[in-house]
Amino acid sequence: MAVYLVRQQSSAVLLQRLRAKGIRNPDHSRALIKEKLTADPESEIATTCLRVSLLCPLGKMRLTIPCRALACSHLQCFDATLYIQMNEKKPTWVCPVCDKKAPYEHIVIDGLFMEILNRYSDCDEIQFKEDGNPHPMNSKREVQEVSAPSNGVDSNSPQTNPRGSNDNNKTVDVIDLTLDISSEDDEPPLKRPCPSLSPAVPRLSASEQGSTEPTHPGLYQQRLHLCSPVIP
């Protein structure tokens, strides 16, 4: 039976010790990149480039201290500060990329990614070619410029009114094309007044008034004459 007296170290002390261990040589990561990009003669699929994110898989934020475990074979790094703080609350010490064991004693700071973070401060993704050199992807500025709606108009060029500045004072005749042209033809035709009875027509006698058929046919036509519409 043995009794051990231990002292819990804070995440700040562990991070300070990790920095004191030093940074891994960038040539180690470059050799790993060339190894992954080397074409396999027996394989029909060849990898021509590698894309690596500069965001931590734990917090989805830009890396500040990129690190990996010695047993990890991937290029993706995770942030040492966030990794130590999470294991301080709940110690698991598992790599967030490959789920392999990554104890504190086996994690090291990657020198190549430290150079990349210092060189490219406006991008979140890196592409490695066969030569092992990093090439930044679209930066944040370029993405914002492309996503901004330009509509083919230069915002710096002065805007001029080709018709002059007095167009606002002119009255504009508006023609409503939605109106049906046939509506003009649907107007009721004009009516001409009915001609009054001519005074020269003789009056009917008492015997003629009682009969159903008038004696004078001209008078009968004038009575039954309707006001005919005027056809244009």
Side-chain angles (χ1 to χ4, degrees):
M1 182 177 179
V3 178
Y4 296 93
L5 180 62
V6 297
R7 178 182 300 175
Q8 184 179 4
Q9 303 292 337
S10 63
S11 58
V13 174
L14 295 178
L15 184 61
Q16 185 178 1
R17 291 183 179 179
L18 181 63
R19 289 179 174 178
K21 289 170 57 176
I23 301 174
R24 177 181 280 186
N25 194 337
D27 294 336
H28 182 274
S29 297
R30 290 191 180 96
L32 181 61
I33 294 171
K34 293 180 180 180
E35 180 182 355
K36 290 181 176 295
L37 294 177
T38 301
D40 188 3
E42 299 181 357
S43 177
E44 297 179 357
I45 301 175
T47 304
T48 58
C49 63
L50 294 174
R51 298 177 63 176
V52 182
S53 176
L54 298 181
L55 301 179
C56 177
L58 295 174
K60 304 301 180 182
M61 299 177 63
R62 185 178 172 85
L63 296 170
T64 56
I65 305 177
C67 67
R68 287 197 311 269
L70 296 175
C72 294
S73 59
H74 51 80
L75 291 173
Q76 180 65 52
C77 297
F78 50 88
D79 191 76
T81 304
L82 188 58
Y83 181 71
I84 294 175
Q85 290 177 354
M86 292 182 64
N87 284 277
E88 182 182 12
K89 298 179 181 179
K90 185 178 180 181
T92 57
W93 302 104
V94 176
C95 176
V97 180
C98 61
D99 294 334
K100 292 183 179 180
K101 290 294 183 178
Y104 172 77
E105 295 80 7
H106 293 172
I107 60 175
V108 291
I109 300 176
D110 191 280
L112 178 60
F113 279 87
M114 285 294 295
E115 295 178 358
I116 293 173
L117 291 172
N118 295 330
R119 185 185 306 175
Y120 307 107
S121 59
D122 58 345
C123 67
D124 295 335
E125 193 172 8
I126 292 294
Q127 185 176 18
F128 292 99
K129 299 293 185 178
E130 295 180 355
D131 55 358
N133 295 325
H135 300 275
M137 303 298 290
N138 292 337
S139 61
K140 297 178 181 179
R141 296 178 182 177
E142 294 178 356
V143 171
Q144 292 177 357
E145 291 177 359
V146 171
S147 60
S150 58
N151 293 330
V153 179
D154 188 4
S155 59
N156 297 326
S157 61
Q159 297 181 358
T160 58
N161 188 2
R163 296 185 179 180
S165 59
N166 296 327
D167 288 350
N168 296 330
N169 299 328
K170 294 181 180 180
T171 59
V172 181
D173 296 332
V174 179
I175 300 175
D176 191 358
L177 300 179
T178 60
L179 294 177
D180 190 1
I181 300 177
S182 61
S183 61
E184 299 178 357
D185 300 336
D186 297 339
E187 295 180 357
L190 298 177
K191 295 181 179 181
R192 63 182 181 181
C194 297
S196 59
L197 296 176
S198 175
V201 178
R203 297 182 178 180
L204 298 176
S205 60
S207 60
E208 292 177 348
Q209 292 179 359
S211 62
T212 57
E213 295 183 359
T215 307
H216 303 280
L219 179 60
Y220 178 75
Q221 293 179 359
Q222 291 183 1
R223 286 181 177 180
L224 299 181
H225 179 73
L226 300 176
C227 297
S228 60
V230 179
I231 300 176

